[in-house]
Amino acid sequence: MCGIFCLLSRSAAPEGRDQAVLEPLQRRGPDSSRDVSVTGTDSGYRCLFSAHVLHMRGLLTPQPLQDAAGNVLLWNGEIFGGLPVDPDQNDTAVLSQRLQACGTAAEILSVLSAVRGPWAFVYHQRAAECLWFGRDFFGRRSLLWSFAAGTMTLTSVAAHSPASDPRSWQEVPAAGVFRVDLKEFARSDSVSLEIFPWDHPNIPSTSPESLPIYCLVETNPAGLAMSAPVPPLNESLPASSPDPPTESRLSVRDLDELLAGSARPDEAKRLIRVLSEAVRRRVQAPPPLAGSASVAVLFSGGIDSMVLAALADRHVPAQHPIDLLNVAFRLQEPKNHNKKRNKDSPNSGPTAPRTFSPFDVPDRLTGRAGLEELRGLNPERRWNFVEINVTPEELQEARRQRIRHLVLPLDSVLDDSIGCAIWFAARGAGTVMEDGGPRPFTSSAKVVLTGIGADEQLAGYSRHRVRFQAAGLRALLAELSMELGRISSRNLGRDDRVVGDQGKEARFPYLDEDVVSHLSSLPVWLKADLSLPRGVGEKLLLRSAARQLGLGPSAVLPKRAVQFGSRVAKMEDRREKASDKCRRLLTGFWLK
C-alpha cells in the first residue's frame, strides 16, 4: 500500500504542495518516500509526483517508479490475480513493465482491466504526454482530487489546513479511468478529462453536478471502456413470493432445521470455497516478528468477522497468532448496575450479578463469545483478543489531530462515528488477557481484514428488510443493485484512509472479484430470505456457511452496525441524525 500524490500545474507556476498533506501520506507509507518532477518537453506543464510506500510483497520498490522510457507510475494497490506476479516479485514493478509495453489507450485499458485486487493509480505516459489516473471498480483504495485555476491535485488523503478549502476536495469517482491530454492542458490552462468508463450497468455517476469546478469530463471519443471484473446482478425472481416476515427469534438448532433439505448447504460449500481462496490471497503478508501476528481482523464477534477469522485460521501458519481487534467506547455507569442485565449479551437466561465495566458494550460481549467459539475450532491457535478501550478525551484528541482529516471529504455524523471506530480499532492499542489479568498490547499486524461488502450483497442492512416489507423482492433487488454502485463513495475510500493512517493495509475479502461474481450470479432467494426473523433471514447463505465452518451462536446474531455495537454513537449528540453534517469533523472541537 502507498500514499500517492500528484500536482499538475503550468511549468511557470511555483512548485510545491500543501505540507499538511505530507504527514498523513508518510504515515500511510513509512518504508520509503520519494518525489519525482516531470516537465513537458515542448509543452508548458509540470507534474510533481510523490509516493510513500508500505512494503508488503517482493523487493521493496521505491515510488514514484520511473522506467527507461521516462514513464512515471504511482501505484497504491495489490495484484491478487489477473496478471502473473511471482511471490518474490513486486506488483508495482510488474505493472510498470506491462504499461511500458503499451502504445495505445486500448492496450493500457486492457492491462488495467485484467488486474484483480484493490488499486488507485496515477501514470504519466511520456511519449503520448498523457496523465492517466483512477480507482478500481469498487473503489477499495482512496484517491481524492481538487481543482483550481490551472492546477489539478490528486492524493490518497487530504487535510484541513489554512492553505486549502476542505470543500474543494472530492473523491475521484470509481467510474472508470481518466486521462488528461497534457499538451492541451498547457495550451488552454484548464483541465479537460476523458473518461474510459467501466462496462457495467451500475457504475457511479460522473454527471456535471458531481464534479468540481474548473473541470470538464467527457467520454472518450473512441468509445473505449474498461472491462468490468464482475457481472450484473442476477435479477431472476421465484415463482411464488415469500410469506410475510415474522418477528420471532430462531436458535442455532432452528437454523439447522431450516437449512436441512434446502439448496443452501450445497451453495454454502461453494461460497466457502471461493471466499476461502479470497482470504488466502489476502493473508499473505511480510513475515512477522517472532511471536507477533501478521494478520488482524476487525472483530465484533458478528457473523461477518467470525467467518473471516475462521477462514484466516485455515491459511495463516499455525505458529503465528491472529489478532482480533475489538473496540469499545466508554459508557456511563447506569444506576443500580449490579441489578441490571445487559440486554445485548449474547447469552440468555438468568445470570449472577457482575461488576459493571464501562467498556462492556455489545460488541465487546459478542466479541468475547466469538473468541470462545474460535478457540473451540482451533484451541492450538493463539488468538489475541485485543480489547481497545476509548475514553471521551482520547476520542476528542484523535478526532481533532487525525480522524477529521482522514474522513475528509465526507462529513456526516455517520462518517464520523464509523471513521472513529475503525481508526481506533485499526490502531490496535489495548490489552489482552493473560493469566487472568490484562496485559498492555499493540497489534503489529500490517494486514487488517474487514467484513465490508457482506451486508451490501447479502441483504444485511435494516433498510433491505424495510424495502422488502414495503415492496417485495423486486424492490430488494433494486436496493442491492444500488449498493455496490455506491460502496466506493459511501464506505471504501474513507475506510482505506482511516486504516492506512496506521501504516496498515485494509483488505476486503467479501469484495474479492471472484466472490462478488459468484454472489452476483445467484438468485436473491438463495442469498437471503427476509420473510425469516432478524438474525437468520438476512445473509442466510453466509449463516449456512458459518454452520458448515463449525460456528455456533454467532451464526444467528442479528446485524449490529459498528457505531452502535462499539457505542461510539452514544458518546455524541443523541439528537443528531446519521445523515446530518457533523460539526465535530468540520471544526475539530468536541461539542457537548
Side-chain angles (χ1 to χ4, degrees):
M1 190 196 73
C2 304
I4 60 177
F5 175 93
C6 172
L7 173 62
L8 169 63
S9 62
R10 295 295 299 273
S11 57
E15 182 171 313
R17 62 182 159 203
D18 185 351
Q19 290 301 305
V21 176
L22 182 60
E23 278 191 32
L25 287 171
Q26 290 174 330
R27 287 196 294 268
R28 288 178 64 86
D31 298 323
S32 171
S33 294
R34 188 162 72 179
D35 293 350
V36 169
S37 185
V38 173
T39 57
T41 50
D42 299 316
S43 304
Y45 70 85
R46 175 191 292 121
C47 292
L48 171 63
F49 301 98
S50 182
H52 311 270
V53 177
L54 176 69
H55 181 219
M56 298 297 289
R57 62 198 296 191
L59 295 174
L60 175 60
T61 302
Q63 294 190 47
L65 183 57
Q66 192 166 24
D67 63 29
N71 304 308
V72 177
L73 175 63
L74 298 175
W75 176 250
N76 176 25
E78 295 284 354
I79 301 177
F80 291 129
L83 297 179
V85 181
D86 294 336
D88 60 344
Q89 287 184 303
N90 181 274
D91 58 356
T92 306
V94 169
L95 183 66
S96 176
Q97 292 168 3
R98 295 294 293 265
L99 291 175
Q100 184 180 356
C102 296
T104 66
E107 290 171 335
I108 286 179
L109 298 179
S110 177
V111 170
L112 294 171
S113 294
V115 174
R116 297 294 177 263
W119 51 266
F121 85 110
V122 181
Y123 183 62
H124 178 236
Q125 191 179 16
R126 183 73 183 187
E129 292 202 85
C130 291
L131 190 70
W132 297 81
F133 63 93
R135 302 164 70 193
D136 73 79
F137 182 81
F138 302 114
R140 289 165 289 186
R141 291 290 175 259
S142 171
L143 191 63
L144 311 179
W145 60 14
S146 178
F147 298 84
T151 67
M152 178 182 72
T153 305
L154 301 166
T155 180
S156 297
V157 61
H160 293 267
S161 76
S164 65
D165 181 351
R167 294 170 298 180
S168 69
W169 292 106
Q170 293 187 23
E171 292 185 323
V172 174
V177 170
F178 298 87
R179 181 175 69 176
V180 182
D181 183 330
L182 296 174
K183 292 178 290 186
E184 178 61 28
F185 165 77
R187 284 194 296 268
S188 65
D189 199 22
S190 64
V191 179
S192 181
L193 304 176
E194 290 179 284
I195 182 171
F196 300 82
W198 293 104
D199 183 14
H200 195 276
N202 298 119
I203 60 172
S205 170
T206 53
S207 57
E209 60 270 17
S210 71
L211 299 171
I213 59 173
Y214 302 112
C215 170
L216 175 66
V217 178
E218 297 178 340
T219 302
N220 68 94
L224 298 175
M226 296 277 288
S227 298
V230 298
L233 190 66
N234 182 335
E235 296 186 351
S236 61
L237 296 172
S240 59
S241 300
D243 294 328
T246 61
E247 297 299 328
S248 61
R249 290 288 300 275
L250 298 183
S251 67
V252 173
R253 178 177 294 180
D254 294 330
L255 175 61
D256 291 342
E257 291 177 357
L258 176 70
L259 295 170
S262 73
R264 288 188 184 88
D266 290 338
E267 288 297 339
K269 291 177 183 177
R270 297 184 183 97
L271 176 58
I272 288 171
R273 284 198 296 270
V274 69
L275 186 56
S276 179
E277 175 59 19
V279 170
R280 184 195 68 79
R281 289 192 285 259
R282 283 160 178 79
V283 297
Q284 298 171 4
L289 299 173
S292 299
S294 61
V295 174
V297 182
L298 294 184
F299 189 75
S300 67
I303 186 171
D304 304 343
S305 58
M306 285 291 291
V307 168
L308 292 185
L311 292 176
D313 181 53
R314 292 184 169 189
H315 303 295
V316 173
Q319 68 273 22
H320 295 167
I322 295 176
D323 293 346
L324 307 174
L325 309 179
N326 183 272
V327 66
F329 292 80
R330 190 175 69 194
L331 296 171
Q332 293 182 350
E333 183 172 347
K335 296 178 181 179
N336 302 321
H337 57 265
N338 284 330
K339 297 180 181 179
K340 178 180 174 69
R341 174 171 165 72
N342 192 317
K343 66 179 181 179
D344 292 299
S345 172
N347 301 313
S348 59
T351 59
R354 62 177 177 82
T355 304
F356 171 79
S357 167
F359 297 106
D360 277 353
V361 302
D363 279 359
R364 178 61 47 80
L365 301 178
T366 53
R368 288 172 181 157
L371 171 66
E372 294 309 311
E373 286 192 46
L374 294 173
R375 284 174 171 166
L377 288 181
N378 187 354
E380 303 303 317
R381 167 82 63 190
R382 197 173 108 207
W383 301 96
N384 291 323
F385 183 70
V386 189
E387 299 191 6
I388 300 159
N389 298 333
V390 185
T391 66
E393 295 76 21
E394 290 175 301
L395 174 61
Q396 175 186 357
E397 182 65 13
R399 179 192 284 113
R400 184 179 67 84
Q401 293 284 355
R402 305 272 278 274
I403 298 170
R404 70 188 182 104
H405 303 290
L406 302 168
V407 173
L408 182 74
L410 305 185
D411 59 6
S412 73
V413 169
L414 181 66
D415 293 312
D416 173 51
S417 296
I418 296 177
C420 290
I422 293 177
W423 188 86
F424 279 102
R427 187 175 67 165
T431 61
V432 295
M433 295 296 293
E434 286 188 357
D435 300 323
R439 174 176 69 85
F441 181 92
T442 299
S443 173
S444 60
K446 285 186 176 183
V447 169
V448 179
L449 301 181
T450 169
I452 188 74
D455 291 304
E456 287 79 1
Q457 298 179 80
L458 296 165
Y461 290 123
S462 59
R463 62 178 175 268
H464 296 138
R465 188 172 288 270
V466 170
R467 288 283 282 159
F468 170 73
Q469 290 174 346
L473 277 176
R474 191 169 296 281
L476 174 61
L477 278 168
E479 192 78 15
L480 293 174
S481 182
M482 178 181 63
E483 292 285 5
L484 288 182
R486 69 180 184 181
I487 196 171
S488 61
S489 59
R490 191 176 176 93
N491 301 91
L492 293 173
R494 177 199 64 211
D495 293 357
D496 175 66
R497 293 190 294 276
V498 169
V499 174
D501 191 59
Q502 310 294 346
K504 300 178 181 183
E505 182 171 287
R507 293 182 176 176
F508 311 97
Y510 290 108
L511 291 173
D512 178 90
E513 287 86 350
D514 290 341
V515 173
V516 177
S517 295
H518 176 70
L519 290 175
S520 294
S521 72
L522 298 178
V524 66
W525 67 86
L526 280 178
K527 296 182 284 189
D529 183 351
L530 299 187
S531 67
L532 296 172
R534 288 184 69 243
V536 175
E538 72 278 14
K539 298 186 283 193
L540 182 55
L541 181 59
L542 188 63
R543 298 182 192 281
S544 178
R547 291 297 295 137
Q548 292 195 21
L549 290 170
L551 299 177
S554 61
V556 291
L557 283 178
K559 165 70 180 178
R560 187 170 52 228
V562 64
Q563 66 270 27
F564 303 119
S566 69
R567 286 300 191 255
V568 63
K570 292 285 188 181
M571 300 179 76
E572 314 295 0
D573 184 346
R574 300 190 187 188
R575 297 166 296 178
E576 295 173 319
K577 296 179 180 178
S579 59
D580 288 347
K581 287 190 180 296
C582 182
R583 293 173 294 162
R584 293 176 297 277
L585 290 176
L586 299 175
T587 65
F589 294 105
W590 179 257
L591 301 178
K592 298 295 185 182

